[in-house]
Amino acid sequence: MPVNATSAAAPSPLVFAGFPASSWTFALRVWLAMMLALYASFWLEFESPSSAALTVAILALPTRGQGMEKAGYRLLATAIGVMASIAIAGVFSQTDGLLLAVLGIWVGLCVYVAAMLDGNRAYAAALCCITVALIAIQQIDTPLQVFPTGIARGAAIGIGVLAVALVNEVLAAPDYHPVLAGRIEALYDRAKALTHGADRDSAAAAASLLHDIAAIRPEIASLTTESSIGTARTAAARSALVDLVSVLSLGRMLAALPVTSAPAQSAYGPGQKAARLTAISGSWLRSEINHKLAQVRSSLDALHQGVRPYHAWRAPLYRSRRIAAETGARAAISFALIGLFFVLTGWPTTELCLSLVAVILGLGSTAPAPRTFTMVTVMAMPIACALAGILKYLVFNGVSEFQLLAIGLAPVVIGFALLISSPNPLLSSLGRLTLVFTIAVLAPTNPQNYDPEVFLVTSFFACLSSVLVLAAQTLLPPLSGDQRVRLLLREATGRLGHLDRWRVRDLAPEEAAFRDAGRVEQILSANGASTLNGQIAAKAMRCFDQAGSLRRCRAELERLTQGPLAWVVQDARDALAQRNGAAILAAAGALSKAASQNNLSANSAIAVLVPAATISAPSQPPTGPSQGKQP
């Protein structure tokens, strides 16, 4: 029988119970690492062996580099949190209300820092808050136990990290760089098609591409911990992303070139001069786009080979201080309100609930939508408590042998690990949270505690903590998606005025464009997975185009400030500062004439000034065939 070429080239992966074989091997690694961590903790007689198992659940990531990067940040954040717990407990242990205020300030500060970072760095900032919650708050009535509790937690986390590293190494966990290279390859194809296609002036398509490029930034850091050549691969991936943004920015400038037509008899008329300037600009921009695409391809080759790229670009992160400050303030006030609720009710033994409140607030700060994260937590917590109860009183029911513990935990751990590997973000998040909370409520120890009163109190306060956080966020809601969009667009518009300061900046135009792409990514992500708003995309891309065009004009004109073209350069600067399209185009013509008279080349400056005349002009609908395209 003839063999289908497509099926032969791409064989379908093995699937069992709806999950591919890669998900099953990942789930098996998670279960083995968790059992190894628990066994080592029992053997070493740790005070809280469940911390080791929780570490494995938190570090449950499909590739080796991702897990090791998160493990490093987890160890660092735990050390910082332990030191903060000792300081807070030592200074404010006898101050009652002041202690709660200080803890609320610490929660707000950690949430603010997490909102200013991304990826596992944001997780590390949130973990500083979580560590203080699990050490200082739970030992709020016994401050002398803060230090030994912190040391025990750090040791258990270390065992969990070692277990994950050992299992991933022995079972050959896959590397992440092939997956990342494939994603960048797909973005390269999209950027090439967009810049050479008829819809290169589409704001929605460009904004979507920028969103997908900037969204990869947090993931490239994991390549550093993947192998000895991880640093070179990280630099290559970063350079490829920065150059992809440059390709798109140049393509938008090419699309903004005015469409001019002049009759043959007016060879020296204004129309012919404009057409000549446009031709110079179009030729240079096309050449530069092809050059940048070649550099992206070179960086991709360097990523595959594990060598450093041609140029190690930086990929700066954009974060709104205003949004981060408001997020931190809301988290601090929410924690204070819940603490005040417990003070007024006079409930005893509420340390567990208050500590879990801080945990939920800290973890929620790393999610795109904190309120959505809290709602998922509200769903996950009862499921986790029910599963922990079934395991403890129906499956184990007095069992103390480790072999039976491992067998009983296998279906739960493997099942939720399969959900974690799901491509559905909601299912993946629900699986991870439920696995973590199940282990936290079950709290495996040696010997296991089967006191039903302790279990019921723990389950009640665990569920109550998520409900109280949701109530606090209802009373003091986080910034909505529309509010975030308005703030980000206002900041983008306000920053355009600062671009007229003609001093040398620390960032190259390519790096600054990537930073602006990060803002576009946040604008498009503010409302979650909702349909792309064309008007918002157009506004975001207009700010991106103006900032990129002005920076490139500034950089190209800066090269001509010394020499016979200096006076023409100053006129071009003044025209750009006034955002006067006609004056910018006239300055480009004067620069071309002066360069020709002095036998100099100024094509690169002319090339970026011509589209700037259109991009910097006020937005208005086209009125004729000679009107430039508005992005």
Side-chain angles (χ1 to χ4, degrees):
M1 294 177 62
V3 179
N4 184 286
T6 303
S7 62
S12 58
L14 296 176
V15 176
F16 179 73
F19 293 94
S22 58
S23 296
W24 285 98
T25 56
F26 164 68
L28 180 62
R29 291 199 307 270
V30 173
W31 175 70
L32 288 176
M34 186 174 293
M35 296 307 102
L36 178 59
L38 279 175
Y39 183 83
S41 300
F42 291 161
W43 182 63
L44 294 172
E45 298 183 354
F46 282 167
E47 178 182 344
S48 179
S50 60
S51 296
L54 285 172
T55 297
V56 174
I58 291 170
L59 300 182
L61 294 166
T63 62
R64 176 171 46 190
Q66 291 174 303
M68 293 312 299
E69 185 209 8
K70 193 170 187 177
Y73 280 113
R74 182 167 175 79
L75 290 172
L76 175 63
T78 299
I80 296 174
V82 169
M83 290 187 290
S85 300
I86 294 171
I88 292 174
V91 177
F92 301 100
S93 61
Q94 303 298 325
T95 57
D96 297 332
L98 182 58
L99 175 59
L100 285 177
V102 170
L103 290 172
I105 293 172
W106 177 258
V107 170
L109 179 62
C110 291
V111 170
Y112 169 80
V113 175
M116 291 296 295
L117 300 173
D118 67 342
N120 285 325
R121 296 188 302 164
Y123 166 73
L127 186 58
C128 291
C129 163
I130 295 170
T131 302
V132 170
L134 296 177
I135 296 177
I137 296 180
Q138 288 203 19
Q139 304 296 332
I140 196 170
D141 295 326
T142 55
L144 294 179
Q145 295 298 316
V146 168
F147 180 77
T149 302
I151 296 300
R153 174 175 169 79
I157 288 175
I159 290 295
V161 169
L162 291 175
V164 170
L166 180 61
V167 171
N168 284 345
E169 191 66 28
V170 171
L171 297 185
D175 291 332
Y176 189 54
H177 73 269
V179 178
L180 189 61
R183 294 177 62 186
I184 299 177
E185 288 270 7
L187 293 173
Y188 169 83
D189 293 338
R190 287 174 58 188
K192 187 176 181 180
L194 185 61
T195 53
H196 290 89
D199 60 343
R200 61 190 176 196
D201 59 344
S202 169
S208 176
L209 181 56
L210 284 180
H211 171 276
D212 294 343
I213 293 173
I216 296 182
R217 183 192 181 279
E219 303 177 31
I220 60 178
S222 64
L223 301 182
T224 303
T225 57
E226 194 170 74
S227 64
S228 59
I229 56 176
T231 303
R233 284 198 168 112
T234 299
R238 187 182 297 118
S239 296
L241 295 180
V242 172
D243 282 330
L244 278 175
V245 173
S246 296
V247 167
L248 185 59
S249 178
L250 291 168
R252 298 280 294 172
M253 293 174 69
L254 182 62
L257 288 178
V259 180
T260 58
S261 60
Q265 62 269 23
S266 58
Y268 299 99
Q272 185 63 25
K273 291 180 180 179
R276 185 170 59 85
L277 292 175
T278 301
I280 293 173
S281 179
S283 177
W284 186 88
L285 287 172
R286 291 186 187 92
S287 175
E288 190 68 11
I289 288 172
N290 291 331
H291 177 61
K292 287 293 183 184
L293 286 172
Q295 290 178 335
V296 175
R297 173 54 59 190
S298 175
S299 296
L300 284 170
D301 292 339
L303 174 58
H304 285 293
Q305 298 168 11
V307 298
R308 295 194 67 82
Y310 75 99
H311 189 289
W313 290 118
R314 291 172 294 176
L317 174 68
Y318 178 82
R319 284 292 185 265
S320 170
R321 290 187 175 87
R322 169 79 178 274
I323 293 176
E326 292 201 21
T327 304
R330 281 173 164 79
I333 295 174
S334 297
F335 181 85
L337 289 175
I338 295 173
L340 181 62
F341 167 78
F342 285 129
V343 170
L344 295 177
T345 55
W347 286 2
T349 63
T350 57
E351 296 86 356
L352 173 62
C353 189
L354 198 58
S355 62
L356 287 176
V357 165
V359 169
I360 296 171
L361 291 173
L363 290 177
S365 65
T366 63
R371 184 175 174 82
T372 302
F373 175 84
T374 304
M375 295 177 66
V376 175
T377 303
V378 171
M379 292 188 295
M381 198 70 79
I383 298 174
C385 293
L387 283 175
I390 293 172
L391 286 173
K392 179 172 287 191
Y393 297 107
L394 295 181
V395 177
F396 300 145
N397 194 23
V399 166
S400 59
E401 291 81 2
F402 181 80
Q403 296 86 342
L404 298 178
L405 173 67
I407 295 172
L409 285 175
V412 175
V413 175
I414 293 176
F416 284 124
L418 290 173
L419 282 183
I420 292 173
S421 66
S422 170
N424 187 316
L426 179 60
L427 286 179
S428 179
S429 177
L430 182 63
R432 186 178 301 276
L433 287 176
T434 308
L435 176 60
V436 169
F437 292 143
T438 299
I439 300 300
V441 175
L442 180 63
T445 56
N446 188 20
Q448 183 68 38
N449 183 2
Y450 289 98
D451 187 348
E453 183 179 353
V454 173
F455 174 78
L456 290 176
V457 170
T458 301
S459 300
F460 171 74
F461 281 123
C463 296
L464 180 63
S465 62
S466 58
V467 173
L468 288 177
V469 172
L470 184 62
Q473 290 178 344
T474 302
L475 184 64
L476 187 66
L479 287 173
S480 66
D482 292 337
Q483 290 174 320
R484 289 172 180 264
V485 168
R486 285 196 295 269
L487 287 173
L488 290 168
L489 287 175
R490 190 182 308 160
E491 291 179 1
T493 305
R495 286 181 179 272
L496 289 175
H498 300 294
L499 297 179
D500 296 323
R501 301 174 183 175
W502 292 94
R503 62 174 183 267
V504 178
R505 303 291 185 178
D506 183 44
L507 295 178
E510 292 85 354
E511 295 169 338
F514 187 87
R515 188 174 184 270
D516 292 341
R519 184 193 293 117
V520 175
E521 186 266 336
Q522 291 182 56
I523 291 173
L524 267 61
S525 301
N527 286 309
S530 59
T531 306
L532 177 63
N533 187 311
Q535 186 177 5
I536 291 177
K539 290 179 180 179
M541 288 309 301
R542 181 163 184 80
C543 292
F544 174 83
D545 293 338
Q546 289 182 340
S549 176
L550 289 173
R551 287 195 187 95
R552 285 194 174 272
C553 289
R554 182 188 64 204
E556 295 298 336
L557 292 174
E558 191 71 28
R559 299 188 179 99
L560 305 176
T561 53
Q562 302 297 327
L565 303 181
W567 64 275
V568 188
V569 168
Q570 187 57 48
D571 291 342
R573 289 177 171 181
D574 294 339
L576 287 167
Q578 297 169 8
R579 305 292 194 271
N580 188 326
I584 294 172
L585 201 59
L591 183 61
S592 175
K593 181 178 179 180
S596 177
Q597 292 174 349
N598 291 274
N599 294 323
L600 298 173
S601 175
N603 285 352
S604 60
I606 296 169
V608 294
L609 282 172
V610 174
T614 301
I615 293 174
S616 301
S619 179
Q620 56 187 4
T623 57
S626 63
Q627 178 71 32
K629 295 181 182 179
Q630 294 294 333

